Amino acid sequence: MTALDAHPHPTAALWAAPQASGPLDALVEVPGSKSLSNRYLVLAALADGPSRLRAVLSSRDTRLMGQALETLGVGVETGTDWLVSPAPLRGHVTIDCGLAGTVMRFLPAVAALADGPVQFTGDPEALVRPMGPVIQALRALGVRVDEDGEPGHLPITVHGRGAVRGGHVDVDASGSSQFVSGLLLAGARFDQGLTVRHTGRTLPSLPHIEMTVDVLRAAGVEVDDSRPDIWHVAPGRVAGRDVRVEPDLSNAGAFLVAALAVGGTVRVPGWPSATTQPGGLLPGILERMGATTRLDGDVLSVTGTGAVRGADLDLKPAGELAPTIAALAVFGDSPTRLRGIAHLRGHETDRLAALANEITRLGGQAEQTADGLVITPRPLTGGVWRTYADHRMATAGALVGLRVPGVQVEDVATTGKTLPDFVGMWQRMLGPADAGTRAS
Ligand SMILES: O=C(O)C1=C[C@@H](OP(=O)(O)O)[C@@H](O)[C@H](O)C1
Ligand SMILES: C=C(OP(=O)(O)O)C(=O)O
């Protein structure tokens, strides 16, 4: 793998978001989950034998994770399957996190096991994402961490010493569930294991912590999550695995929502019957907003009429769905309130501000609240939809463009963070009838 593989290809180019010419009828195959891919990669690197990871997402975030692990000395062979060969973790290296929360929050605890300093850096937008709780937790565990820039943010240097004692640590994870997940993933390799207690007032994205617990257990690690806000990982071996990654249900969201926005049916194969992905909540959310959904075997179908119902939704467990749901809400028959997502201000961009800005600029009405957004449907007009280096802002713009003529999405290439073929998939979903409307 070369550094270029994970490098973004940003462009100020505008993409003319295609309008749908009629009801949809599409089968959309969605690549692997970012969150599962990057968890499996981390655990494979910490395992006591090689792993074969099938259907890994190949996108900027997963390539950055693969490269980071390679930089630490782990063997990572990408291809149809990704093969990971653990090795002693080496320090005196620098890791580029790009804009990937999973890389910047999952790897510092791993780096503490390396044999020297590991510097973490990232995109300019990454340097404002919160890192304080990761830094404080590692320090509380006896690991030296230097803040090389603004306190509480990248760049940081973790001084690995080959081993971490472990024990108990308190973390305020109200800003991101990834603070907890990152500690738990490495915890089995600490001498005493690790107990993490969340001390904040609210905890977003609990399904993502459950995902962490799930993948740890599947790798043979003993985890006790029987008490609220406390997780204990016993010290022990992490098993190498042969595992298949589920499709990314959050990425599927934009396509499923399209059926509701313009009418028709979108089907996604490979939908798991049970999952820890927050995208598993999509069928219920979309039904509340007017869809009918059904699961035939592993094919999820979402059917809409083009009529969208406004809804009051607590998205705390599934904040990464918010941009997609906000884009749908602009077409509602009544206002939509999205709650429980104050932490979105620390995502790829301040998503509450970004969504409110862009909806408002196209003539819509969207107000930020303390912990979310209220979107009041109004007729929209075309214009530039800015994306702020945020892949989900780009897909939200594409959704708005399905019904609003003249929407131009800035830097659609930012979708490469988790879905490099987004534009091709979107055009295939719309079918050949819409191909002519799509000059860029
Ligand atoms: O652990 C993970 O894989 C993720 C956790 C969530 O982060 P937050 O808790 O910061 O929202 C989610 O939004 C992100 O896309 C992926
Ligand atoms: C918040 C997200 O990403 P990250 O993993 O970078 O936090 C996201 O993909 O919506």
Side-chain angles (χ1 to χ4, degrees):
M1 207 187 285
T2 70
L4 261 185
D5 292 332
H7 200 269
H9 303 286
T11 159
L14 298 176
W15 175 64
Q19 265 190 278
S21 59
L24 303 179
D25 179 11
L27 180 81
V28 180
E29 281 187 55
V30 180
S33 153
K34 165 198 76 174
S35 293
L36 284 168
S37 296
N38 277 358
R39 281 168 173 74
Y40 289 140
L41 282 166
V42 172
L43 283 187
L46 295 173
D48 59 5
S51 289
R52 177 181 291 271
L53 309 180
R54 303 172 191 264
V56 171
L57 172 66
S58 183
S59 76
R60 187 175 185 228
D61 276 13
T62 58
R63 289 185 168 271
L64 283 164
M65 183 63 91
Q67 280 169 20
L69 295 173
E70 268 191 329
T71 302
L72 288 167
V74 176
V76 180
E77 221 180 287
T78 62
T80 311
D81 300 339
W82 287 31
L83 306 176
V84 181
S85 312
L89 299 172
R90 68 170 172 239
H92 304 279
V93 294
T94 295
I95 287 177
D96 176 11
C97 302
L99 187 48
T102 48
V103 180
M104 70 179 85
R105 276 75 174 263
F106 292 179
L107 291 187
V110 173
L113 296 165
D115 66 1
V118 179
Q119 190 183 44
F120 290 85
T121 141
D123 293 356
E125 296 81 5
L127 309 190
V128 296
R129 298 192 70 178
M131 286 292 292
V134 176
I135 297 165
Q136 283 152 26
L138 289 177
R139 284 180 180 159
L141 290 167
V143 180
R144 178 177 154 202
V145 184
D146 297 339
E147 292 160 290
D148 303 327
E150 291 296 315
H153 298 278
L154 294 180
I156 60 171
T157 301
V158 176
H159 292 262
R161 291 176 56 190
V164 178
R165 196 185 61 249
H168 289 251
V169 71
D170 283 352
V171 175
D172 178 352
S174 51
S176 174
S177 63
Q178 293 172 343
F179 303 145
V180 171
S181 288
L183 292 164
L184 297 181
L185 283 169
R189 290 282 308 272
F190 295 174
D191 299 342
Q192 300 174 7
L194 187 65
T195 303
V196 178
R197 185 170 69 118
H198 163 61
T199 56
R201 276 194 310 116
T202 180
L203 183 61
S205 314
L206 193 55
H208 275 118
I209 297 180
E210 289 164 358
M211 180 188 286
T212 302
V213 170
D214 226 49
V215 297
L216 280 165
R217 284 182 178 148
V221 175
E222 198 187 311
V223 186
D224 179 358
D225 62 350
S226 58
R227 292 163 294 174
D229 292 347
I230 298 177
W231 302 266
H232 172 71
V233 177
R237 63 182 284 266
V238 177
R241 299 189 65 207
D242 182 333
V243 68
R244 176 169 291 277
V245 180
E246 295 172 7
D248 193 306
L249 308 187
S250 295
N251 278 341
F255 299 89
L256 297 171
V257 159
L260 195 45
V262 300
T265 298
V266 171
R267 292 176 293 279
V268 172
W271 199 271
S273 52
T275 183
T276 50
Q277 290 189 65
L281 300 171
L282 272 166
I285 293 172
L286 298 187
E287 280 174 11
R288 285 184 60 186
M289 298 185 80
T292 43
T293 71
R294 51 186 278 191
L295 192 59
D296 295 309
D298 74 346
V299 181
L300 179 75
S301 301
V302 170
T303 301
T305 59
V308 178
R309 276 206 299 269
D312 184 342
L313 299 169
D314 180 357
L315 289 184
K316 184 164 74 163
E320 72 179 10
L321 303 180
T324 308
I325 302 299
L328 178 63
V330 303
F331 302 124
D333 59 5
S334 61
T336 288
R337 173 182 284 269
L338 305 181
R339 291 181 288 110
I341 50 173
H343 71 292
L344 261 64
R345 297 189 188 284
H347 275 186
E348 282 79 340
T349 185
D350 176 342
R351 283 181 168 159
L352 302 185
L355 286 162
N357 281 349
E358 299 316 297
I359 292 171
T360 308
R361 246 158 22 84
L362 298 192
Q365 187 176 337
E367 278 109 27
Q368 301 180 56
T369 64
D371 75 338
L373 284 172
V374 177
I375 296 159
T376 306
R378 283 171 62 163
L380 301 186
T381 51
V384 174
W385 177 275
R386 288 182 302 191
T387 50
Y388 309 85
D390 183 355
H391 56 139
R392 297 198 203 278
M393 281 302 292
T395 49
L399 274 168
V400 172
L402 285 176
R403 274 177 61 165
V404 179
V407 172
Q408 300 204 298
V409 177
E410 179 195 75
D411 189 17
V412 75
T414 193
T415 50
K417 185 174 190 287
T418 58
L419 197 55
D421 189 28
F422 171 72
V423 168
M425 291 171 70
W426 199 248
Q427 290 177 342
R428 287 193 291 281
M429 173 187 75
L430 290 170
D434 297 291
T437 64
R438 218 170 284 134
S440 61

